[in-house]
Amino acid sequence: MKKRISLLFLSFILLLPGCSKGLREIEETKEEEPKKIQIGMSFDSFVIERWQRDRDVFVATANDLGAEVNVQNASGDVNEQVRQIEYFIEKQMDAIVIVGIDSEKLSEVVKKAKEKGIKVIAYDRLIKNADVDLYISFDNEAVGKMMASAFVENGLTKGKVLMFCGPMTDNNVSMIEKGFQSVIKEHDIEILDILHADNWRAEETKKYVNEHIDVVKEADAIMCGNDGLAGQTIYDLAELRLAGKVMVVGQDADLEACQRIVEGTQLMTVFKPVAKLAQAAAEDTIKLVLGEELGATSMMNDGSYNVPYIALETVAVTAKNLEEVIINSGFHLKEDVYLNVPEEMPK
């Protein structure tokens, strides 16, 4: 009986004009909730340590700004990356952010995304002939110059160097080489050979060292395209009892690279403030979707088009400034950097 009375009372309430109007307003409010910006993000891979930092900061920043990010990992396979971008197009994403595997082979699928009105951001690596809405990275020519300058400042003049670089499919590689060689030529330093490691695979440097021991022994210094290649190179030099004798540089300020610097086997690395890059990229992606101004940008030619370009500054890190740049900024903990040489840790 009580249940029947309750149902009758509820039916009576719902029939009242004011109550039914209130329910309609609630339903309309639900329908009017703004749709979150949808961002697709395709990474080359997570083999390189820094990409995990980029991902986490980008996603956190985008989420704070009310966007959702779908992160995909292409695992170094450009065909898989194309499929991921096509998936994002099918899902009608508002923007697609790409850490490109191949600067040439992504142009067609990027054009397809733009035709659908999707904003495309080339993150850290330029995508050529694609007319992306934004290319955001670091000054890669400056990175190359820093690497060469580290050798010169450490006494290398009229010496001999090897270059262990990344793949030429990564547009940054040619930019770094250009900067590096411009300084090398000024100081009459001979380049013995240049290796381009496919997909940044460190095992390719190992293979080179094993097959060209005489050339390696002739080198006074080895420029490595990133700290992953530097780590394998130093390991191979250790087997030849040359670790610490042959100067080695890299980039990205990976933890192990910083450890090698304080141990004395790696001369220098280039610190890239990836948190700033990822944060700026997330903010600018959302601005592009909303049709807002990006602020200060320059232009870079991608081979066919002039595209908006933002370049963040980098810092050369050696044993002299590692504490100031790396530890004091919180990029790595002091205890972790000096893990293998605790007696060298500053008080």
Side-chain angles (χ1 to χ4, degrees):
M1 184 69 180
K2 287 182 179 179
K3 185 175 180 181
R4 185 181 299 172
I5 292 171
S6 298
L7 289 171
L8 287 170
F9 180 73
L10 178 61
S11 300
F12 174 74
I13 292 295
L14 290 174
L15 289 171
L16 290 175
C19 291
S20 60
K21 181 182 177 184
L23 286 172
R24 283 198 303 272
E25 287 176 350
I26 292 171
E27 289 175 359
E28 288 172 3
T29 301
K30 285 183 179 179
E31 290 174 3
E32 291 171 4
E33 287 180 1
K35 177 191 171 188
K36 287 189 175 183
I37 291 172
Q38 299 295 311
I39 302 171
M41 194 172 195
S42 176
F43 276 87
D44 170 351
S45 74
F46 292 119
V47 173
I48 297 175
E49 179 185 306
R50 62 157 286 201
W51 292 136
Q52 297 174 42
R53 287 178 180 265
D54 293 73
R55 174 199 60 198
D56 294 346
V57 175
F58 185 98
V59 171
T61 303
N63 288 346
D64 288 343
L65 294 172
E68 293 181 345
V69 186
N70 183 329
V71 177
Q72 300 285 325
N73 174 13
S75 301
D77 184 342
V78 67
N79 294 321
E80 175 59 25
Q81 188 160 54
V82 169
R83 285 191 288 271
Q84 290 173 359
I85 296 168
E86 287 176 338
Y87 168 77
F88 289 145
I89 295 170
E90 183 183 332
K91 289 296 182 181
Q92 300 180 340
M93 292 288 180
D94 297 298
I96 302 174
V97 181
I98 306 167
V99 182
I101 296 170
D102 190 310
S103 61
E104 301 279 359
K105 293 182 178 179
L106 297 175
S107 58
E108 290 305 315
V109 72
V110 167
K111 289 177 182 177
K112 191 185 296 184
K114 287 178 62 65
E115 286 170 1
K116 295 292 184 180
I118 299 171
K119 300 298 182 182
V120 179
I121 294 83
Y123 186 93
D124 196 58
R125 298 172 179 171
L126 181 64
I127 301 171
K128 303 193 80 173
N129 307 306
D131 194 22
V132 295
D133 296 284
L134 175 64
Y135 167 45
I136 182 166
S137 184
F138 298 100
D139 187 337
N140 291 292
E141 279 193 37
V143 169
K145 290 178 179 179
M146 287 177 181
M147 291 175 162
S149 296
F151 289 150
V152 173
E153 291 166 8
N154 202 51
L156 182 65
T157 54
K158 297 184 179 180
K160 299 178 180 180
V161 300
L162 277 170
M163 296 175 66
F164 290 168
C165 306
M168 290 304 291
T169 52
D170 181 342
N171 190 68
N172 290 353
V173 170
S174 60
M175 296 171 72
I176 291 170
E177 286 185 29
K178 181 180 177 182
F180 182 82
Q181 292 185 20
S182 69
V183 175
I184 290 298
K185 289 175 183 176
E186 289 176 4
H187 294 85
D188 198 23
I189 296 170
E190 179 186 352
I191 298 174
L192 293 171
D193 201 1
I194 302 176
L195 167 71
H196 290 104
D198 188 38
N199 280 337
W200 293 96
R201 288 198 291 263
E203 55 264 33
E204 294 204 17
T205 66
K206 180 178 181 63
K207 180 181 178 183
Y208 182 94
V209 172
N210 289 338
E211 294 178 355
H212 302 84
I213 291 177
D214 291 341
V215 179
V216 174
K217 287 183 176 180
E218 194 179 347
D220 301 297
I222 303 177
M223 173 274 216
C224 294
N226 69 9
D227 287 332
L229 299 182
Q232 181 62 58
T233 298
I234 291 170
Y235 179 85
D236 296 332
L237 288 173
E239 292 189 334
L240 298 174
R241 298 184 180 180
L242 292 173
K245 297 178 182 178
V246 177
M247 291 180 269
V248 178
V249 297
Q251 69 163 323
D252 291 337
D254 289 353
L255 175 59
E256 290 185 1
C258 293
Q259 290 173 340
R260 292 191 294 269
I261 287 174
V262 299
E263 291 164 15
T265 56
Q266 183 165 332
L267 175 63
M268 169 267 206
T269 186
V270 178
F271 170 66
K272 295 178 169 182
V274 295
K276 288 184 180 179
L277 180 73
Q279 182 178 345
E283 292 170 350
D284 287 338
T285 298
I286 291 170
K287 286 180 182 178
L288 284 169
V289 172
L290 297 177
E292 298 176 358
E293 292 291 328
L294 290 179
T297 60
S298 57
M299 303 298 287
M300 175 171 284
N301 190 275
D302 71 356
S304 300
Y305 309 92
N306 290 321
V307 300
Y309 172 44
I310 296 175
L312 278 67
E313 293 184 355
T314 55
V315 182
V317 177
T318 65
K320 293 179 181 178
N321 67 344
L322 186 144
E323 184 173 9
E324 175 189 353
V325 177
I326 300 299
I327 295 172
N328 292 351
S329 68
F331 192 71
H332 293 309
L333 296 176
K334 180 190 293 186
E335 293 75 12
D336 292 337
V337 171
Y338 288 89
L339 179 66
N340 302 322
V341 284
E343 67 280 1
E344 300 291 335
M345 186 166 60
K347 301 299 182 183

